[in-house]
Amino acid sequence: MSAPGYPPPHQGPGSYSTAPYPVPHGGYGDPNHAPPPVGFHMGYNHQQPQPGQPVMYQPVPMPEYGVPQMGPSPGYGGPMPGPRYGAPQMGPSPGYGGPMPGPEYGAPNSGPPAAISPAPAAVVPVGVPPGLEYLTQIDQILIHQKVELLEAFIGFETNNQYEIKNSLGQKIYKAKEKNDCCTRNCCGALRSFDMKIKDNTDREVIRFIRPYRCASCWFPCCLQELEVQAPPGTTIGYVSQDWHPCVPEFSIKGANKETVMKLEGPCFACNCCGDVNFETRKDWLTGKDGGKPIGRISKQWGGLIKEVFTDTDNFGIQFPMDLDVKMKAVLMGACFLIDFMFFEKD
């Protein structure tokens, strides 16, 4: 015997002794219960109500005017009504898949923004000439002179070219001497020049200007000087040779030719299997820091063959990280002046 409400085994092909679908027990349709309310249809056949017969619909709560919207009621599939103008935003109810309303104007952001905002513009330090921003982040630079094959083989003097790198060997600037052929080959190491310093975008950021002056350690009337401009056309400092009978000395000066630092080299500025150091000292007038060096320009030993057969030189410059970026550029100019005065072969 089969369970009540389920069909028994087939009595014949295509015939059943009872209804092929289970008969519900309890609820509407059960003869033991009260009939359904008037107007409530149990089947799927839609019939028009009789005249005078009430029709029942599923009630939908309507919001009152001025009451905050708390989201759609459970089971409601229609669109969510918009909030009243000026009413506080309560957010969607749980399970609602619509867009999250944005915060009010001036309200603090409590979550991630809807879109990624553009990155802020880079902050340029005040008083830094354009193109020298990177110098504010380093305390050491390396200057490597390029090998000129024509000059190495036949001795014909060409324009010196340099690469300026950071401590990791990454090129940050390039330098090239500018003058005429007669000046280079007739005046030798005393020649005048304009040295243009360009960044990696080929933009000129610094210019060194050296006038022609005779060299004599016994008379202070022909001392060497180099002007530093950054950007080109704006003078930011000078490198001036100081007279001394024994040791090379230089003054690092500002735009108004006020002395900021002193640069002092060894008695014999020649590198014999070793580096040549020029020490930088600050507060030389007041005697603070006990004359302790705060920086250094070093002519590095490049090897016997390179030193004998070429005038290609390597330099290293060290300075305090917080030193004025303009003075860092002036120290760079002092390095080029030292190269021409003591290590440029005639």
Side-chain angles (χ1 to χ4, degrees), residues 145-212:
Q145 184 177 356
K146 293 184 177 181
V147 178
E148 301 293 338
L149 297 180
L150 183 63
E151 182 177 343
F153 286 118
I154 66 176
F156 184 82
E157 188 68 38
T158 58
N159 286 323
N160 290 353
Q161 299 185 51
Y162 304 83
E163 287 186 347
I164 303 173
K165 306 177 181 180
N166 58 14
S167 58
L168 300 178
Q170 300 170 334
K171 187 174 71 172
I172 55 178
Y173 301 111
K174 57 183 178 181
K176 185 176 182 179
E177 174 189 4
K178 181 182 179 182
N179 47 26
D180 58 84
C181 177
C182 181
T183 300
R184 291 193 306 271
N185 290 276
C186 296
C187 299
L190 297 177
R191 63 183 182 265
S192 61
F193 62 79
D194 286 0
M195 187 77 68
K196 295 184 177 181
I197 311 297
K198 298 182 179 181
D199 58 11
N200 292 326
T201 62
D202 207 37
R203 176 185 60 168
E204 184 179 359
V205 296
I206 309 175
R207 180 178 297 176
F208 302 134
I209 302 175
R210 182 198 183 190
Y212 174 80

Side-chain angles (χ1 to χ4, degrees), residues 173 325 341:
Y173 301 111
V325 67
M341 289 181 61

